[in-house]
Amino acid sequence: MCRRFTVVTWDEVVEVVRELQADSPVNAQPDWPARPIVGEGVAVQVEPGEGAFPGAGVDVIVRRSESQLAVERLTWGFPVEWQQRPVYNTRLETAMGPNPGMWEQPIAQGRGIVVTGGFFEAHATQTVRSPKTGRRIKQQYRFESGEGSPLLLAAVCGQGCFSVVTTRPNASVAPVHNRMPLALTLAEARWWLRAPWPSLVASWQKLANREGFALAAVPEQPAVPAALGQGTLF
């Protein structure tokens, strides 16, 4: 279950858009706006380098037309009536299954790409001591590209919101967590954005649990309270 990822700069998002549209026969190098489209009521965008949590406003790549992509600032998480917290992850198997529920329209018509520097998962059993409370907390791991390039995470979008698509973990993530975001190669991201619905129905399982998609797992150090870090309590 992904509930935090690192936000990248606007320039990095635009560069990914250019790469995704490099093979487009029409308008291959569009005149990109300086800022993304912002929907009504969307949350404030997180600064580059910081971690985005559900409820944050994030720049998401979406398909504007058959040959052109756009960037929209969407809120992470779909509000639902049965709980106070928004639903911010979409199980790929559920969305593509016989009973997709709330994901039927987003997966068919609102697929998007989140560009990130890395995503975080909590270890199932490993713990560390919190400098803030002294209690044992789950060890967080940051998963990033081994090459240092941004990760492209599959998303579904609708009504000014988006959700990160998750799948079974591959060999890089399985030792830490039983789910992971659906991370895509550039070619797979093009297909995710553009594939006609029948094509997605026929081939979506090829995207899940690919052992060849290697990620680097970096343990995150628990944050030290500012007062402790500055030595003002001693």
Side-chain angles (χ1 to χ4, degrees), residues 92 96 191 195 197-208:
L92 180 63
M96 296 303 303
W191 184 77
W197 180 243
S199 177
L200 188 69
V201 170
S203 306
W204 68 270
Q205 292 181 340
K206 296 179 181 180
L207 297 177

Side-chain angles (χ1 to χ4, degrees), residues 67-165:
S67 61
Q68 188 174 3
L69 304 178
V71 180
E72 295 185 3
R73 188 167 301 167
L74 306 176
T75 299
W76 186 9
F78 285 76
V80 291
E81 297 179 352
W82 61 84
Q83 65 182 31
Q84 291 185 338
R85 295 185 302 174
V87 178
Y88 51 86
N89 282 169
T90 303
R91 294 176 69 93
L92 180 63
E93 305 91 326
T94 299
M96 296 303 303
N99 298 301
M102 64 181 289
W103 305 122
E104 183 173 4
Q105 185 170 352
I107 192 72
Q109 303 177 10
R111 297 187 297 276
I113 296 294
V114 176
V115 185
T116 174
F119 63 89
F120 296 82
E121 297 290 2
H123 197 283
T125 59
Q126 192 177 100
T127 62
V128 293
R129 191 174 298 280
S130 169
K132 185 176 181 179
T133 66
R135 297 178 180 178
R136 304 295 297 186
I137 58 175
K138 289 186 176 181
Q139 173 68 65
Q140 296 281 330
Y141 280 83
R142 182 175 187 266
F143 291 91
E144 55 191 30
S145 168
E147 301 175 352
S149 57
L151 291 176
L152 309 182
L153 305 184
V156 293
C157 317
Q159 300 180 339
C161 304
F162 79 95
S163 174
V164 174
V165 176

Side-chain angles (χ1 to χ4, degrees), residues 10 34-40 42-46 56-60 71-75 160-162:
W10 168 248
R35 290 291 182 270
I37 300 170
V38 181
E40 292 185 7
V42 83
V44 177
Q45 186 185 24
V46 181
V58 178
D59 295 339
V60 181
V71 180
E72 295 185 3
R73 188 167 301 167
L74 306 176
T75 299
C161 304
F162 79 95

Side-chain angles (χ1 to χ4, degrees), residues 31-33 37 62-72:
D31 182 18
W32 292 104
I37 300 170
V62 298
R63 190 176 72 170
R64 175 179 289 171
S65 65
E66 190 68 25
S67 61
Q68 188 174 3
L69 304 178
V71 180
E72 295 185 3

Side-chain angles (χ1 to χ4, degrees), residues 168-186:
R168 300 184 304 274
N170 62 14
S172 300
V173 181
V176 174
H177 201 71
N178 62 359
R179 300 289 296 178
M180 66 175 287
L182 180 57
L184 305 174
T185 65
L186 196 65

